[in-house]
Short mmCIF file of all heavy atoms in Angstrom, two decimals:
data_model
loop_
_atom_site.label_atom_id
_atom_site.label_comp_id
_atom_site.label_asym_id
_atom_site.label_seq_id
_atom_site.Cartn_x
_atom_site.Cartn_y
_atom_site.Cartn_z
N MET Y 1 44.02 5.08 144.87
CA MET Y 1 43.40 4.49 146.07
C MET Y 1 43.82 5.29 147.30
O MET Y 1 44.96 5.68 147.44
CB MET Y 1 43.86 3.04 146.21
CG MET Y 1 43.17 2.31 147.34
SD MET Y 1 43.71 0.60 147.43
CE MET Y 1 44.96 0.74 148.69
N ARG Y 2 42.91 5.53 148.15
CA ARG Y 2 43.18 6.33 149.33
C ARG Y 2 42.74 5.54 150.55
O ARG Y 2 41.64 5.02 150.60
CB ARG Y 2 42.37 7.62 149.24
CG ARG Y 2 42.98 8.74 150.02
CD ARG Y 2 42.48 10.08 149.46
NE ARG Y 2 43.02 11.17 150.28
CZ ARG Y 2 44.24 11.66 150.12
NH1 ARG Y 2 45.01 11.17 149.19
NH2 ARG Y 2 44.67 12.62 150.90
N CYS Y 3 43.59 5.44 151.52
CA CYS Y 3 43.20 4.72 152.72
C CYS Y 3 43.26 5.66 153.91
O CYS Y 3 43.93 6.70 153.84
CB CYS Y 3 44.08 3.48 152.92
SG CYS Y 3 45.64 3.79 153.70
N PRO Y 4 42.58 5.34 154.97
CA PRO Y 4 42.52 6.26 156.13
C PRO Y 4 43.89 6.57 156.69
O PRO Y 4 44.13 7.68 157.17
CB PRO Y 4 41.67 5.48 157.15
CG PRO Y 4 40.92 4.47 156.36
CD PRO Y 4 41.76 4.15 155.16
N LEU Y 5 44.79 5.61 156.64
CA LEU Y 5 46.13 5.84 157.18
C LEU Y 5 46.90 6.83 156.31
O LEU Y 5 47.66 7.66 156.81
CB LEU Y 5 46.89 4.52 157.29
CG LEU Y 5 46.31 3.55 158.31
CD1 LEU Y 5 47.04 2.23 158.24
CD2 LEU Y 5 46.37 4.11 159.71
N CYS Y 6 46.71 6.76 154.98
CA CYS Y 6 47.33 7.74 154.09
C CYS Y 6 46.78 9.13 154.39
O CYS Y 6 47.52 10.11 154.46
CB CYS Y 6 47.05 7.40 152.63
SG CYS Y 6 48.01 6.03 151.97
N THR Y 7 45.50 9.19 154.55
CA THR Y 7 44.85 10.47 154.81
C THR Y 7 45.39 11.11 156.08
O THR Y 7 45.58 12.32 156.16
CB THR Y 7 43.32 10.27 154.92
OG1 THR Y 7 42.86 9.63 153.74
CG2 THR Y 7 42.61 11.60 155.07
N ASP Y 8 45.63 10.29 157.07
CA ASP Y 8 46.15 10.78 158.34
C ASP Y 8 47.67 10.89 158.35
O ASP Y 8 48.27 11.23 159.36
CB ASP Y 8 45.71 9.86 159.48
CG ASP Y 8 44.23 10.00 159.76
OD1 ASP Y 8 43.60 10.94 159.23
OD2 ASP Y 8 43.68 9.17 160.49
N ASP Y 9 48.30 10.55 157.23
CA ASP Y 9 49.74 10.65 157.10
C ASP Y 9 50.48 9.78 158.11
O ASP Y 9 51.50 10.16 158.68
CB ASP Y 9 50.16 12.12 157.23
CG ASP Y 9 51.51 12.37 156.53
OD1 ASP Y 9 51.89 11.54 155.69
OD2 ASP Y 9 52.16 13.38 156.85
N LEU Y 10 49.94 8.61 158.35
CA LEU Y 10 50.57 7.68 159.28
C LEU Y 10 51.51 6.74 158.53
O LEU Y 10 51.28 6.43 157.36
CB LEU Y 10 49.50 6.85 160.01
CG LEU Y 10 48.59 7.67 160.91
CD1 LEU Y 10 47.47 6.78 161.45
CD2 LEU Y 10 49.36 8.31 162.05
N GLU Y 11 52.52 6.29 159.23
CA GLU Y 11 53.46 5.35 158.62
C GLU Y 11 52.80 4.00 158.43
O GLU Y 11 52.31 3.40 159.38
CB GLU Y 11 54.68 5.16 159.52
CG GLU Y 11 55.76 6.18 159.30
CD GLU Y 11 57.08 5.67 159.86
OE1 GLU Y 11 57.06 5.09 160.95
OE2 GLU Y 11 58.11 5.84 159.20
N HIS Y 12 52.79 3.53 157.21
CA HIS Y 12 52.27 2.20 156.93
C HIS Y 12 52.70 1.79 155.54
O HIS Y 12 53.22 2.60 154.79
CB HIS Y 12 50.74 2.18 157.07
CG HIS Y 12 50.05 3.10 156.10
ND1 HIS Y 12 50.17 4.46 156.15
CD2 HIS Y 12 49.27 2.84 155.04
CE1 HIS Y 12 49.47 4.99 155.17
NE2 HIS Y 12 48.91 4.04 154.46
N CYS Y 13 52.48 0.54 155.20
CA CYS Y 13 52.90 0.02 153.91
C CYS Y 13 51.77 -0.78 153.29
O CYS Y 13 51.11 -1.55 154.00
CB CYS Y 13 54.14 -0.87 154.11
SG CYS Y 13 54.79 -1.57 152.59
N HIS Y 14 51.54 -0.58 152.01
CA HIS Y 14 50.44 -1.27 151.34
C HIS Y 14 50.85 -2.63 150.78
O HIS Y 14 50.04 -3.32 150.18
CB HIS Y 14 49.90 -0.41 150.20
CG HIS Y 14 49.18 0.82 150.67
ND1 HIS Y 14 48.74 1.80 149.82
CD2 HIS Y 14 48.82 1.23 151.90
CE1 HIS Y 14 48.16 2.77 150.51
NE2 HIS Y 14 48.20 2.45 151.78
N GLU Y 15 52.10 -2.98 150.97
CA GLU Y 15 52.56 -4.26 150.44
C GLU Y 15 52.29 -5.38 151.44
O GLU Y 15 51.79 -5.15 152.54
CB GLU Y 15 54.06 -4.19 150.14
CG GLU Y 15 54.41 -3.13 149.11
CD GLU Y 15 53.84 -3.46 147.73
OE1 GLU Y 15 53.49 -4.63 147.49
OE2 GLU Y 15 53.76 -2.54 146.90
N VAL Y 16 52.67 -6.58 151.05
CA VAL Y 16 52.49 -7.75 151.92
C VAL Y 16 53.74 -7.95 152.75
O VAL Y 16 54.84 -7.96 152.21
CB VAL Y 16 52.22 -9.01 151.08
CG1 VAL Y 16 52.09 -10.23 151.98
CG2 VAL Y 16 50.98 -8.83 150.23
N SER Y 17 53.57 -8.11 154.05
CA SER Y 17 54.69 -8.47 154.90
C SER Y 17 54.63 -9.96 155.18
O SER Y 17 53.60 -10.49 155.58
CB SER Y 17 54.65 -7.68 156.20
OG SER Y 17 55.79 -7.97 156.98
N ILE Y 18 55.76 -10.63 154.93
CA ILE Y 18 55.82 -12.08 155.09
C ILE Y 18 56.51 -12.42 156.40
O ILE Y 18 57.61 -11.94 156.68
CB ILE Y 18 56.62 -12.70 153.91
CG1 ILE Y 18 55.92 -12.37 152.58
CG2 ILE Y 18 56.76 -14.20 154.09
CD1 ILE Y 18 56.87 -12.37 151.41
N ALA Y 19 55.85 -13.21 157.23
CA ALA Y 19 56.42 -13.62 158.51
C ALA Y 19 57.05 -14.99 158.37
O ALA Y 19 56.38 -15.96 158.03
CB ALA Y 19 55.32 -13.64 159.57
N HIS Y 20 58.34 -15.07 158.66
CA HIS Y 20 59.04 -16.35 158.55
C HIS Y 20 59.00 -17.11 159.87
O HIS Y 20 58.74 -16.53 160.93
CB HIS Y 20 60.49 -16.11 158.12
CG HIS Y 20 60.60 -15.63 156.70
ND1 HIS Y 20 60.41 -16.44 155.61
CD2 HIS Y 20 60.85 -14.40 156.20
CE1 HIS Y 20 60.56 -15.73 154.50
NE2 HIS Y 20 60.82 -14.49 154.83
N ALA Y 21 59.30 -18.41 159.76
CA ALA Y 21 59.22 -19.29 160.93
C ALA Y 21 60.20 -18.88 162.02
O ALA Y 21 59.97 -19.14 163.20
CB ALA Y 21 59.48 -20.73 160.50
N ASP Y 22 61.30 -18.25 161.63
CA ASP Y 22 62.28 -17.85 162.64
C ASP Y 22 61.96 -16.50 163.27
O ASP Y 22 62.72 -15.97 164.07
CB ASP Y 22 63.68 -17.82 162.02
CG ASP Y 22 63.82 -16.77 160.93
OD1 ASP Y 22 62.83 -16.07 160.64
OD2 ASP Y 22 64.91 -16.65 160.36
N GLY Y 23 60.81 -15.95 162.92
CA GLY Y 23 60.39 -14.70 163.54
C GLY Y 23 60.74 -13.45 162.75
O GLY Y 23 60.30 -12.37 163.08
N THR Y 24 61.52 -13.61 161.68
CA THR Y 24 61.84 -12.45 160.88
C THR Y 24 60.69 -12.15 159.92
O THR Y 24 59.89 -13.02 159.60
CB THR Y 24 63.13 -12.67 160.07
OG1 THR Y 24 62.95 -13.79 159.21
CG2 THR Y 24 64.31 -12.91 160.98
N THR Y 25 60.61 -10.91 159.50
CA THR Y 25 59.58 -10.54 158.54
C THR Y 25 60.23 -9.83 157.36
O THR Y 25 61.33 -9.30 157.46
CB THR Y 25 58.53 -9.62 159.18
OG1 THR Y 25 59.16 -8.42 159.62
CG2 THR Y 25 57.85 -10.30 160.34
N GLU Y 26 59.51 -9.84 156.27
CA GLU Y 26 60.07 -9.35 155.01
C GLU Y 26 58.97 -8.69 154.21
O GLU Y 26 57.89 -9.26 154.05
CB GLU Y 26 60.64 -10.56 154.28
CG GLU Y 26 61.20 -10.29 152.92
CD GLU Y 26 61.56 -11.63 152.23
OE1 GLU Y 26 61.47 -12.69 152.87
OE2 GLU Y 26 61.90 -11.57 151.06
N CYS Y 27 59.22 -7.47 153.76
CA CYS Y 27 58.23 -6.79 152.94
C CYS Y 27 58.31 -7.30 151.51
O CYS Y 27 59.39 -7.43 150.96
CB CYS Y 27 58.47 -5.29 152.99
SG CYS Y 27 57.28 -4.36 152.00
N GLY Y 28 57.16 -7.61 150.94
CA GLY Y 28 57.13 -8.15 149.58
C GLY Y 28 57.14 -7.07 148.50
O GLY Y 28 57.09 -7.38 147.32
N GLY Y 29 57.19 -5.82 148.89
CA GLY Y 29 57.16 -4.75 147.90
C GLY Y 29 58.51 -4.49 147.26
O GLY Y 29 59.51 -5.11 147.62
N ASP Y 30 58.51 -3.60 146.31
CA ASP Y 30 59.76 -3.22 145.66
C ASP Y 30 60.56 -2.32 146.57
O ASP Y 30 60.02 -1.45 147.23
CB ASP Y 30 59.48 -2.46 144.36
CG ASP Y 30 58.78 -3.34 143.34
OD1 ASP Y 30 58.97 -4.56 143.40
OD2 ASP Y 30 58.03 -2.79 142.52
N GLY Y 31 61.87 -2.53 146.58
CA GLY Y 31 62.74 -1.65 147.33
C GLY Y 31 62.70 -1.92 148.82
O GLY Y 31 61.90 -2.73 149.31
N PRO Y 32 63.59 -1.26 149.53
CA PRO Y 32 63.68 -1.48 150.97
C PRO Y 32 62.47 -0.90 151.70
O PRO Y 32 61.89 0.09 151.28
CB PRO Y 32 64.96 -0.73 151.36
CG PRO Y 32 65.18 0.28 150.29
CD PRO Y 32 64.56 -0.28 149.03
N CYS Y 33 62.10 -1.59 152.76
CA CYS Y 33 60.96 -1.14 153.55
C CYS Y 33 61.35 -1.26 155.01
O CYS Y 33 61.69 -2.33 155.47
CB CYS Y 33 59.74 -2.01 153.24
SG CYS Y 33 58.33 -1.65 154.30
N ALA Y 34 61.34 -0.16 155.72
CA ALA Y 34 61.80 -0.15 157.10
C ALA Y 34 60.65 -0.31 158.09
O ALA Y 34 60.87 -0.31 159.30
CB ALA Y 34 62.55 1.15 157.38
N LEU Y 35 59.46 -0.46 157.58
CA LEU Y 35 58.31 -0.52 158.49
C LEU Y 35 58.14 -1.91 159.07
O LEU Y 35 58.45 -2.91 158.44
CB LEU Y 35 57.04 -0.10 157.74
CG LEU Y 35 57.09 1.33 157.19
CD1 LEU Y 35 55.79 1.66 156.48
CD2 LEU Y 35 57.34 2.33 158.30
N GLY Y 36 57.62 -1.96 160.26
CA GLY Y 36 57.43 -3.22 160.96
C GLY Y 36 56.28 -4.03 160.37
O GLY Y 36 55.45 -3.51 159.62
N HIS Y 37 56.26 -5.29 160.74
CA HIS Y 37 55.26 -6.23 160.23
C HIS Y 37 53.83 -5.70 160.44
O HIS Y 37 52.99 -5.75 159.54
CB HIS Y 37 55.44 -7.55 160.98
CG HIS Y 37 54.65 -8.70 160.43
ND1 HIS Y 37 54.75 -9.12 159.13
CD2 HIS Y 37 53.75 -9.52 161.03
CE1 HIS Y 37 53.93 -10.17 158.95
NE2 HIS Y 37 53.32 -10.41 160.08
N LEU Y 38 53.57 -5.17 161.61
CA LEU Y 38 52.21 -4.76 161.93
C LEU Y 38 51.78 -3.49 161.22
O LEU Y 38 50.61 -3.14 161.26
CB LEU Y 38 52.06 -4.58 163.45
CG LEU Y 38 52.23 -5.88 164.24
CD1 LEU Y 38 52.15 -5.60 165.74
CD2 LEU Y 38 51.17 -6.90 163.86
N LEU Y 39 52.72 -2.81 160.57
CA LEU Y 39 52.37 -1.60 159.84
C LEU Y 39 51.99 -1.90 158.39
O LEU Y 39 51.79 -0.99 157.60
CB LEU Y 39 53.54 -0.60 159.89
CG LEU Y 39 53.83 -0.03 161.28
CD1 LEU Y 39 55.08 0.83 161.25
CD2 LEU Y 39 52.65 0.77 161.80
N HIS Y 40 51.89 -3.17 158.08
CA HIS Y 40 51.54 -3.56 156.71
C HIS Y 40 50.05 -3.88 156.59
O HIS Y 40 49.46 -4.46 157.50
CB HIS Y 40 52.38 -4.76 156.28
CG HIS Y 40 53.81 -4.39 155.99
ND1 HIS Y 40 54.73 -4.14 156.97
CD2 HIS Y 40 54.44 -4.17 154.82
CE1 HIS Y 40 55.89 -3.81 156.41
NE2 HIS Y 40 55.74 -3.80 155.11
N ASP Y 41 49.51 -3.53 155.43
CA ASP Y 41 48.10 -3.82 155.17
C ASP Y 41 47.83 -5.32 155.14
O ASP Y 41 46.78 -5.80 155.53
CB ASP Y 41 47.69 -3.24 153.82
CG ASP Y 41 47.32 -1.77 153.91
OD1 ASP Y 41 47.40 -1.20 155.01
OD2 ASP Y 41 46.95 -1.19 152.87
N TRP Y 42 48.81 -6.05 154.60
CA TRP Y 42 48.63 -7.48 154.42
C TRP Y 42 49.77 -8.20 155.12
O TRP Y 42 50.92 -7.84 154.96
CB TRP Y 42 48.63 -7.85 152.93
CG TRP Y 42 47.60 -7.10 152.17
CD1 TRP Y 42 47.81 -5.95 151.45
CD2 TRP Y 42 46.22 -7.39 152.07
NE1 TRP Y 42 46.61 -5.55 150.91
CE2 TRP Y 42 45.63 -6.40 151.26
CE3 TRP Y 42 45.41 -8.43 152.59
CZ2 TRP Y 42 44.27 -6.39 150.95
CZ3 TRP Y 42 44.06 -8.42 152.27
CH2 TRP Y 42 43.50 -7.42 151.47
N ARG Y 43 49.43 -9.23 155.87
CA ARG Y 43 50.44 -9.98 156.60
C ARG Y 43 50.17 -11.46 156.40
O ARG Y 43 49.05 -11.92 156.66
CB ARG Y 43 50.39 -9.63 158.09
CG ARG Y 43 50.70 -8.16 158.35
CD ARG Y 43 50.62 -7.82 159.83
NE ARG Y 43 49.27 -7.93 160.37
CZ ARG Y 43 48.36 -6.96 160.32
NH1 ARG Y 43 48.64 -5.82 159.77
NH2 ARG Y 43 47.18 -7.15 160.82
N VAL Y 44 51.15 -12.20 155.91
CA VAL Y 44 50.97 -13.63 155.70
C VAL Y 44 52.13 -14.39 156.30
O VAL Y 44 53.28 -13.94 156.24
CB VAL Y 44 50.85 -13.98 154.20
CG1 VAL Y 44 49.62 -13.36 153.59
CG2 VAL Y 44 52.09 -13.57 153.44
N PRO Y 45 51.86 -15.56 156.89
CA PRO Y 45 52.96 -16.45 157.29
C PRO Y 45 53.56 -17.06 156.03
O PRO Y 45 52.85 -17.32 155.06
CB PRO Y 45 52.27 -17.51 158.15
CG PRO Y 45 50.82 -17.49 157.74
CD PRO Y 45 50.53 -16.10 157.22
N CYS Y 46 54.87 -17.28 156.03
CA CYS Y 46 55.54 -17.73 154.81
C CYS Y 46 55.08 -19.12 154.40
O CYS Y 46 55.24 -19.50 153.24
CB CYS Y 46 57.05 -17.65 154.94
SG CYS Y 46 57.78 -18.82 156.08
N VAL Y 47 54.48 -19.89 155.30
CA VAL Y 47 53.95 -21.20 154.92
C VAL Y 47 52.79 -21.06 153.93
O VAL Y 47 52.46 -22.00 153.21
CB VAL Y 47 53.45 -22.01 156.13
CG1 VAL Y 47 54.61 -22.52 156.95
CG2 VAL Y 47 52.50 -21.19 156.98
N ASP Y 48 52.16 -19.89 153.91
CA ASP Y 48 51.03 -19.69 153.01
C ASP Y 48 51.44 -19.26 151.61
O ASP Y 48 50.61 -19.10 150.74
CB ASP Y 48 50.08 -18.63 153.59
CG ASP Y 48 49.24 -19.19 154.72
OD1 ASP Y 48 49.38 -20.38 155.03
OD2 ASP Y 48 48.43 -18.43 155.29
N LEU Y 49 52.74 -19.05 151.43
CA LEU Y 49 53.19 -18.67 150.10
C LEU Y 49 53.09 -19.87 149.15
O LEU Y 49 53.06 -21.01 149.58
CB LEU Y 49 54.65 -18.19 150.16
CG LEU Y 49 54.89 -16.94 150.99
CD1 LEU Y 49 56.38 -16.62 151.00
CD2 LEU Y 49 54.10 -15.76 150.47
N ASP Y 50 53.05 -19.58 147.86
CA ASP Y 50 53.00 -20.63 146.86
C ASP Y 50 54.11 -20.40 145.85
O ASP Y 50 54.01 -19.49 145.04
CB ASP Y 50 51.62 -20.62 146.20
CG ASP Y 50 51.46 -21.81 145.24
OD1 ASP Y 50 52.19 -22.80 145.41
OD2 ASP Y 50 50.62 -21.72 144.33
N PRO Y 51 55.17 -21.20 145.86
CA PRO Y 51 55.40 -22.34 146.75
C PRO Y 51 55.77 -21.87 148.15
O PRO Y 51 56.25 -20.74 148.30
CB PRO Y 51 56.59 -23.05 146.09
CG PRO Y 51 57.35 -21.95 145.40
CD PRO Y 51 56.29 -20.97 144.93
N PRO Y 52 55.53 -22.74 149.16
CA PRO Y 52 55.86 -22.35 150.54
C PRO Y 52 57.33 -22.06 150.71
O PRO Y 52 58.18 -22.64 150.04
CB PRO Y 52 55.46 -23.58 151.36
CG PRO Y 52 54.56 -24.38 150.49
CD PRO Y 52 54.97 -24.09 149.08
N CYS Y 53 57.62 -21.15 151.61
CA CYS Y 53 59.01 -20.80 151.91
C CYS Y 53 59.71 -22.00 152.53
O CYS Y 53 59.14 -22.70 153.35
CB CYS Y 53 58.98 -19.62 152.87
SG CYS Y 53 60.59 -19.09 153.41
N PRO Y 54 60.95 -22.28 152.14
CA PRO Y 54 61.68 -23.44 152.67
C PRO Y 54 61.92 -23.38 154.17
O PRO Y 54 62.18 -24.40 154.79
CB PRO Y 54 63.00 -23.43 151.89
CG PRO Y 54 63.08 -22.11 151.20
CD PRO Y 54 61.70 -21.56 151.09
N CYS Y 55 61.84 -22.21 154.75
CA CYS Y 55 62.09 -22.12 156.19
C CYS Y 55 60.94 -22.69 157.00
O CYS Y 55 61.04 -22.85 158.20
CB CYS Y 55 62.40 -20.69 156.62
SG CYS Y 55 60.96 -19.68 156.98
N ALA Y 56 59.83 -22.98 156.35
CA ALA Y 56 58.64 -23.42 157.07
C ALA Y 56 58.48 -24.93 157.01
O ALA Y 56 57.42 -25.45 156.68
CB ALA Y 56 57.41 -22.73 156.50
N GLY Y 57 59.52 -25.66 157.32
CA GLY Y 57 59.44 -27.11 157.35
C GLY Y 57 58.53 -27.58 158.47
O GLY Y 57 58.17 -26.82 159.35
N ASP Y 58 58.17 -28.86 158.42
CA ASP Y 58 57.24 -29.40 159.41
C ASP Y 58 57.70 -29.16 160.83
O ASP Y 58 56.94 -28.86 161.72
CB ASP Y 58 57.08 -30.92 159.20
CG ASP Y 58 56.19 -31.19 157.99
OD1 ASP Y 58 55.54 -30.25 157.53
OD2 ASP Y 58 56.17 -32.35 157.54
N ASP Y 59 58.99 -29.31 161.04
CA ASP Y 59 59.54 -29.16 162.38
C ASP Y 59 60.43 -27.93 162.48
O ASP Y 59 61.28 -27.84 163.34
CB ASP Y 59 60.34 -30.40 162.77
CG ASP Y 59 59.44 -31.62 162.86
OD1 ASP Y 59 58.49 -31.58 163.67
OD2 ASP Y 59 59.66 -32.58 162.13
N ALA Y 60 60.23 -27.00 161.58
CA ALA Y 60 61.03 -25.78 161.57
C ALA Y 60 62.51 -26.13 161.60
O ALA Y 60 63.26 -25.68 162.45
CB ALA Y 60 60.65 -24.86 162.72
N VAL Y 61 62.90 -26.97 160.68
CA VAL Y 61 64.30 -27.40 160.60
C VAL Y 61 65.19 -26.19 160.39
O VAL Y 61 64.93 -25.37 159.53
CB VAL Y 61 64.48 -28.39 159.41
CG1 VAL Y 61 65.93 -28.85 159.33
CG2 VAL Y 61 63.54 -29.57 159.57
N PRO Y 62 66.23 -26.08 161.22
CA PRO Y 62 67.13 -24.93 161.04
C PRO Y 62 67.80 -24.96 159.68
O PRO Y 62 68.12 -26.03 159.18
CB PRO Y 62 68.17 -25.12 162.16
CG PRO Y 62 67.65 -26.18 163.04
CD PRO Y 62 66.63 -26.96 162.29
N LEU Y 63 67.96 -23.81 159.12
CA LEU Y 63 68.63 -23.74 157.83
C LEU Y 63 70.10 -24.13 158.00
O LEU Y 63 70.72 -23.76 158.99
CB LEU Y 63 68.57 -22.31 157.28
CG LEU Y 63 67.18 -21.81 156.93
CD1 LEU Y 63 67.23 -20.33 156.58
CD2 LEU Y 63 66.58 -22.60 155.78
N PRO Y 64 70.64 -24.90 157.06
CA PRO Y 64 72.07 -25.22 157.12
C PRO Y 64 72.89 -23.95 157.01
O PRO Y 64 72.52 -23.04 156.26
CB PRO Y 64 72.29 -26.16 155.93
CG PRO Y 64 71.10 -26.00 155.05
CD PRO Y 64 69.99 -25.45 155.88
N LEU Y 65 73.95 -23.90 157.74
CA LEU Y 65 74.79 -22.71 157.69
C LEU Y 65 75.51 -22.65 156.35
O LEU Y 65 76.08 -23.62 155.89
CB LEU Y 65 75.81 -22.75 158.82
CG LEU Y 65 75.21 -22.61 160.23
CD1 LEU Y 65 76.31 -22.77 161.26
CD2 LEU Y 65 74.53 -21.26 160.39
N ALA Y 66 75.48 -21.49 155.77
CA ALA Y 66 76.20 -21.29 154.52
C ALA Y 66 77.69 -21.28 154.80
O ALA Y 66 78.13 -20.74 155.81
CB ALA Y 66 75.78 -19.99 153.86
N ALA Y 67 78.44 -21.90 153.92
CA ALA Y 67 79.89 -21.96 154.11
C ALA Y 67 80.51 -20.58 154.01
O ALA Y 67 80.07 -19.77 153.22
CB ALA Y 67 80.52 -22.88 153.09
ZN1 ZN R 101 47.67 4.03 152.81
ZN1 ZN R 102 60.05 -18.32 155.50
ZN1 ZN R 103 56.56 -2.71 153.43
#
């Protein structure tokens, strides 16, 4: 598969970037990914995951601090 961004040798990622309720994002691909959320072909809020991410509670309940 060839995309225009690959052809132009631009930085981008073909994986899904997941946006969490606290504003952090996470690449769903294998291995580390240093590219920003907007450089991903696919972007989903974590509430749309199945099952939904626990950070996406109705009131964005803060995660309990790990001991
Ligand atoms: Zn590409
Ligand atoms: Zn989340
Ligand atoms: Zn990525």
Side-chain angles (χ1 to χ4, degrees):
M1 186 178 97
R2 206 157 176 82
C3 83
L5 294 174
C6 284
T7 304
D8 289 349
D9 204 19
L10 295 174
E11 273 199 319
H12 62 294
C13 181
H14 291 173
E15 300 294 341
V16 178
S17 184
I18 300 155
H20 291 285
D22 64 359
T24 60
T25 62
E26 177 188 354
C27 180
D30 295 333
C33 174
L35 299 181
H37 190 57
L38 295 177
L39 293 174
H40 286 76
D41 276 1
W42 304 96
R43 297 179 294 274
V44 296
C46 69
V47 287
D48 283 0
L49 297 178
D50 186 22
C53 178
C55 86
D58 284 346
D59 295 301
V61 181
L63 294 172
L65 292 176

